[in-house]
Every structure is written in C-alpha cells, then in structure tokens.
Amino acid sequence: MEYKISNRLRIAAIVLMVLGALGIAYGFIDSHSVNEGNITEYLANEAHHGGDHATDAHGDEQADTHGDTHADEAHVQDGHEVEAEGHELTHEEHVLHQLHNRPYAALYVAAFFFFMISLGVLAFYAIQYAAQAGWSPVLFRVMEGITSYVLPGGLLVLVIAFVADSHIFIWMDENVVAHDTIIQNKEGWLNKTWFFIRASIFLAGWSVYRHFSRKFSVAQDNADINDNSYFKKNFRIAAAFLVFYIYTESMMSWDWIMSVDPHWFSTLFGWYVFASMFVSGITVIALISIYLKSKGLLTFVNDSHIHDLAKFMFGISIFWTYLWFSQFMLIWYANIPEEVTYFVTRIEDYNLPFFGMVALNFLFPLLLLMNSDYKRIPWFVVMAGIVILFGHYLDIFNMIMPATVGDRWFIGVPEIGSILFFGGLFMLIVFTSLGKYPLLAKGNPFIKESEHFHY
C-alpha cells in the first residue's frame, strides 16, 4: 500500500514553519529591543504596572543555579548564594541577560522536544526487532518514517546549542568558569570541544543504525520468501544498537539538558529523560497510525494494535511518574542545599507548569487510559496523546527555562513560534519519508502474525 504526502499536508507543514519562523524572529527582535540604554526605563514601567517581577523579593538575587548564575555569575554553596569575585552584576544587567536568553531557550526547548520524539521511536523500533515482537511489524514503516527526523532534528539541536552558546550553557562562558570552582572541577567533561565531539559521536551512532535498519527492512521486502538474512541482520544490529543507545542517551541527557544547571546533578536523570522521550515517541506512533488509518491507509492496523500502543502510553507514563517522584523525593528529603535548589527554583517560580506537568503526564493518562475499552477508541487515544505530548513539552520547558530565564518565563510568541516551526518541519520530513516505500513491511517473517493480531 503506497502513500504520498498530499499537497495539502505539505502546504500545512510549510505554513506552520513560516508562521513559526515569524514568531521566532519576533521573539529575538522583542527581547533585544530592551538593551543597556533602556533597561532602567523598562523596569520602571514594569514597576508602574505592578508587575510581579518588580515586587518579587528575590528578583535581584535568586538561588537559581543558572538563571542567576548565568546573569550575575554566582552560585549556591551550603545554602547561601556566593557571588563570583569581582563579578557582581546589577539587577538591571541581570534582568537584561534573562530577557536576551528567552528566545534562545524557547528555540532549544522546541528543537529538543521534537528531536527526542524521533529518538524515542528509534529505541522502541530497535526493541521490537531485538525482541522479535510479533504484534508490531505492521507499524514498522510508521516508525521508520518518524525516525527519519533523528539526523536533521539532532543537527538542529546542536546548531542552536552552538549559536546560543552561553545564553543556554553557562559553562561555555570563560569569564564565568574563571570564577566558579564547581564548574572548574567539571571542565574535563564540560568544555565546548569535548561537548560537540561527544554530540557528534552520539548523533552519528544513532543515524548509522537508523540508516541500516531502514535499508535492511526495505531489502527484506524484496528478498526471496525463504530468505530472512536481512531480518537477521536487523536483529543483530538492533541488539548492538540498544547497548550503544542506553549509554549515549544517558550521556546526551547530561550534556544537552542537565549541564544547563552545572551545579546540580541527578544520578537517574538519564532514565528520567529516556522515559519522557519514550512515551512521547510511542504517542506519536499512535497518532500518526490513527491519522493514516482514517485516510483509508494502514487497513491492516486493527484495534488491538492501537490498544497495545495505548497500553505503552499508559505504562510508560506510570514509569515516568515513578522516576519523577524518586528524583524529587530523594533530593527534597535529603535537603542538601546545592541539590535541593533545583527544585526550590521550580516550585517557587514555576509552580503552575511544574506541578501542572505532573497532572498532565500522570493523572490524565491514568484516568483516560486505565479502562481497557477506551484504549481501542481512536479519538480517545488521540485526546490522551495530545495531553501527554503537551505535558512532556512542559517537562522539557521546566528543565531548561528556570536555568536560563529565571522567573521571567512565559509561553508566548517565541515559545509558540518555535513549536510551530519545528512541528511543521517534523511533519514535512516524517510524512515525506513515509511516502518513499510501501506502508506494509511485507517481507518481515512476522508480518502475517502481526496482521492477524487480535486478543
């Protein structure tokens, strides 16, 4: 069964990208309209209008390990903010840094969010091959289409990281490092050259696996009916890839996200990010499969396949909650100042998105998908999927924004514009890839079992 991206869908994706690009441009122009010459007037107008920031008791000096560390080159030690020697910034300079950081951070959050969806699907796809799963081969072409975004999406994340530089990663600022003992002790790992070398290795490994797994999958379709050599090759490289993936995904999460707060660390952070990308990826598999099925395609995908995807959406949401609570509870209960400040900042300045994210990622999937019958209703799965994706966007938002913009966060034009741009790009790449080969991996030895999968 062939599929070609429709002109209507292609135009919709391009329109989203154009609108997103305009929003991104507006974000940069608006943030840089405030400069050293008018920052005092900006703050005076803010105070005149009774803004929260003007009356915030900790607006001048917060114990945020990057929101303020980035701005006034300070850090938290033993529960007290210690200013870098000779590098105290005024409140005006501090606010200016945060305002200028926002469009970069908004761009980075959206870029990473869509990239992690494709990387999560790549891991799920490899697991299906390594486990020789019999239920999922009818979904393989959908998974392969989504994973086509891994390379371009990963490159865009790295380009933004390179351009944004110290706007996102404070340890890339040599002046800050020179006066920060904690970051100096991590220089062996946190340095710009080694950061991009590691990132290149990660992305190259993921992309090489994706290339060959797709190649072998298509080759198996054209092989003799008794020749399963390409399937066996896919099985072997999937098993090897999963070992590579579990290490590199953890290191990627340390580098690309956790290092935004270089004074803080969590020993299970890699698993936490993995759970977020895994459930987001599976959710997108379900959404695209339901969309294609509604267009008269994927007729071989039945309610049991959708039910199984919804079970994964439900189960991994519970797993994510377990990791979120474990990370939060252990650090909060230990009450070690240099660690607990990560959560203090988010609870004080990001109360709504921080706890709202938990409701979206745990309570809603729990209530919506607990009933087995509901997992077979496409529109119900779509509704749950939209909630889950929004919740995990907020998850990434909560990881990045407190460390870059402090309490001056808002989901406005820069954030929405970034989502539209990368969402449109994701649609264009994925649906174009879906049209390159038939939607049924007919050569897979488990394809008949998958087509007749019922319970």
Side-chain angles (χ1 to χ4, degrees):
M1 184 174 293
E2 299 287 346
Y3 166 79
K4 293 295 180 184
I5 182 172
S6 66
N7 287 331
R8 182 177 297 179
L9 189 58
R10 184 182 286 109
I11 291 170
I14 293 172
V15 168
L16 288 177
M17 291 175 65
V18 171
L19 291 175
L22 292 174
I24 291 168
Y26 172 83
F28 279 97
I29 294 170
D30 183 59
S31 68
H32 285 78
S33 66
V34 182
N35 52 49
E36 293 179 359
N38 61 13
I39 182 62
T40 303
E41 181 183 353
Y42 173 86
L43 291 173
N45 289 335
E46 188 177 71
H48 177 71
H49 290 94
D52 292 339
H53 302 295
T55 58
D56 191 347
H58 57 279
D60 197 2
E61 295 183 27
Q62 299 175 31
D64 178 3
T65 58
H66 186 183
D68 267 5
T69 305
H70 200 164
D72 53 17
E73 303 172 12
H75 61 268
V76 178
Q77 290 181 343
D78 300 327
H80 301 285
E81 185 175 328
V82 182
E83 294 175 355
E85 299 174 15
H87 280 261
E88 180 181 358
L89 297 185
T90 65
H91 178 52
E92 288 80 4
E93 291 171 313
H94 157 64
V95 170
L96 194 61
H97 274 288
Q98 291 183 328
L99 293 174
H100 289 179
N101 290 346
R102 182 183 168 192
Y104 290 103
L107 204 58
Y108 190 78
V109 169
F112 185 86
F113 174 70
F114 285 99
F115 164 73
M116 82 170 188
I117 289 172
S118 60
L119 187 58
V121 172
L122 189 66
F124 187 70
Y125 177 74
I127 289 170
Q128 302 309 304
Y129 263 109
Q132 298 191 20
W135 72 277
S136 56
V138 294
L139 299 169
F140 278 4
R141 288 290 186 262
V142 173
M143 297 184 202
E144 291 165 11
I146 297 170
T147 58
S148 64
Y149 188 78
V150 167
L151 181 57
L155 287 173
L156 285 171
V157 171
L158 295 181
V159 167
I160 294 169
F162 181 81
V163 173
D165 197 73
S166 60
H167 284 285
I168 296 176
F169 300 99
I170 184 177
W171 52 266
M172 290 188 181
D173 188 333
E174 295 180 356
N175 293 326
V176 173
V177 176
H179 297 86
D180 194 309
T181 305
I182 294 177
I183 301 179
Q184 287 172 10
N185 292 333
K186 299 182 180 182
E187 268 193 291
W189 184 271
L190 290 182
N191 63 80
K192 202 168 183 177
T193 301
W194 185 217
F195 174 89
F196 285 105
I197 289 175
R198 286 195 304 272
S200 300
I201 294 171
F202 303 158
L203 195 54
W206 301 330
S207 301
V208 166
Y209 168 70
R210 193 269 166 187
H211 170 77
F212 282 103
S213 65
R214 169 79 149 180
K215 178 181 177 181
F216 294 154
S217 176
V218 173
Q220 186 63 54
D221 285 0
N222 302 318
D224 185 84
I225 192 169
N226 295 316
D227 179 12
N228 290 324
S229 59
Y230 290 108
F231 174 80
K232 292 176 181 177
K233 288 179 181 178
N234 242 336
F235 166 76
R236 287 193 288 267
I237 65 171
F241 167 74
L242 288 172
V243 176
F244 175 80
Y245 171 84
I246 204 65
Y247 281 101
T248 54
E249 184 277 332
S250 289
M251 289 188 282
M252 178 274 291
S253 67
W254 304 338
D255 284 357
W256 298 11
I257 297 183
M258 192 165 66
S259 74
V260 173
D261 285 283
H263 294 160
W264 176 83
F265 66 92
S266 169
T267 53
L268 58 74
F269 195 76
W271 283 106
Y272 178 75
V273 174
F274 165 75
S276 196
M277 70 169 57
F278 204 52
V279 70
S280 298
I282 294 168
T283 298
V284 172
I285 295 172
L287 295 181
I288 291 179
S289 298
I290 291 171
Y291 170 76
L292 293 175
K293 190 171 175 62
S294 72
K295 296 298 180 182
L297 305 166
L298 294 187
T299 54
F300 38 81
V301 172
N302 58 48
D303 292 345
S304 295
H305 296 112
I306 302 301
H307 183 278
D308 264 22
L309 288 171
K311 284 198 298 186
F312 276 107
M313 290 162 60
F314 173 79
I316 306 302
S317 293
I318 303 302
F319 177 60
W320 174 89
T321 308
Y322 160 73
L323 293 172
W324 179 88
F325 181 74
S326 297
Q327 182 172 258
F328 173 78
M329 184 271 293
L330 291 174
I331 291 177
W332 191 259
Y333 187 75
N335 199 27
I336 300 173
E338 58 267 29
E339 292 185 12
V340 79
T341 183
Y342 181 88
F343 289 104
V344 169
T345 303
R346 283 151 181 82
I347 291 172
E348 290 184 351
D349 298 330
Y350 289 73
N351 197 274
L352 179 60
F354 183 69
F355 290 109
M357 165 194 77
V358 179
L360 292 171
N361 293 338
F362 171 58
L363 292 180
F364 278 85
L366 182 71
L367 296 173
L368 294 176
L369 296 175
M370 179 178 285
N371 188 298
S372 184
D373 292 336
Y374 291 164
K375 297 186 183 77
R376 294 176 178 269
I377 303 174
W379 70 265
F380 210 87
V381 176
V382 170
M383 179 176 64
I386 292 171
V387 171
I388 288 172
L389 290 178
F390 179 60
H392 285 283
Y393 169 81
L394 283 182
D395 191 11
I396 305 302
F397 185 89
N398 286 325
M399 293 181 197
I400 301 297
M401 286 297 185
T404 53
V405 303
D407 61 347
R408 293 182 173 271
W409 67 273
F410 189 72
I411 298 181
V413 174
E415 291 77 16
I416 295 173
S418 298
I419 293 171
L420 293 178
F421 177 81
F422 286 104
L425 182 64
F426 181 86
M427 284 174 55
L428 189 61
I429 291 174
V430 169
F431 282 96
T432 299
S433 177
L434 284 170
K436 291 182 177 179
Y437 298 102
L439 291 176
L440 181 66
K442 63 180 182 179
N444 190 290
F446 291 102
I447 197 65
K448 290 302 179 184
E449 178 182 342
S450 184
E451 285 183 293
H452 296 93
F453 176 65
H454 287 283
Y455 59 88

